[in-house]
Amino acid sequence: MIVMGFVLMVCAAISLFTPFIPVLVPIGLTGLALLGGGLRSFFRPRYLYSPETGGLTVFMAFGPSSKGTPGPKGERVYYDGRRIYRESPDGERHRVSMVGTDRRDIARLVQALPPEQGPAITDR
C-alpha cells in the first residue's frame, strides 16, 4: 500500500506539469489514502480476535478513525489450514480478506484462532 500510494503521489505530481491530463485531485487523494493506510499498518493491527466472544473486529485501512466493524453476535471465526473464515449464526461462511495485512499480524491471528471443527452433520 505504501509503494502504490507513493507511485500515485508521483503520478499526481507529474500531472501538475501536463495540462492535458486533469487527474491531479483524484490520483493525489487516492495516493494519499493508500500511503496513510500503509503507514497505519505499521502501528495498528488490521484484525483483533476476542477469544471470549469468538468475534473478529476488522479495523479499516483508510480513514482517520480506528473504529472497527465487529461481526454479528454468535459468529464463529476459524482457520482451516489455508484461509481464515467467518461463519455467521445462520451457517453462511465468508472468507476473511488478508489484502494489505502485515504477515506478522496474520500469524498472530492464526495462532489465536481455534482450528476448523468441520461442518455439522444434519439430516436432510
Side-chain angles (χ1 to χ4, degrees):
M1 287 174 67
I2 292 173
V3 172
M4 191 62 193
F6 182 73
V7 167
L8 288 176
M9 294 294 285
V10 168
C11 289
I14 290 172
S15 73
L16 280 173
F17 303 109
T18 57
F20 304 110
I21 306 173
V23 293
L24 171 70
V25 174
I27 288 179
L29 291 175
T30 304
L32 190 61
L34 284 173
L35 189 62
L39 290 174
R40 185 181 199 171
S41 70
F42 284 116
F43 305 108
R44 183 159 294 159
R46 175 112 161 101
Y47 299 101
L48 180 64
Y49 176 70
S50 172
E52 294 84 25
T53 62
L56 182 68
T57 301
V58 181
F59 291 99
M60 302 298 108
F62 306 113
S65 71
S66 63
K67 186 175 182 181
T69 54
K73 277 193 162 210
E75 80 169 351
R76 185 171 74 95
V77 181
Y78 61 90
Y79 178 67
D80 73 346
R82 289 187 56 215
R83 295 191 172 121
I84 298 172
Y85 290 96
R86 295 174 94 151
E87 186 175 318
S88 60
D90 62 356
E92 193 172 333
R93 189 170 92 156
H94 299 281
R95 188 170 58 110
V96 175
S97 172
M98 294 293 150
V99 175
T101 307
D102 186 14
R103 292 184 190 273
R104 292 174 296 197
D105 288 340
I106 296 171
R108 282 192 293 267
L109 178 60
V110 166
Q111 290 294 325
L113 290 177
E116 180 183 18
Q117 298 172 355
I121 298 173
T122 58
D123 294 330
R124 291 188 181 194

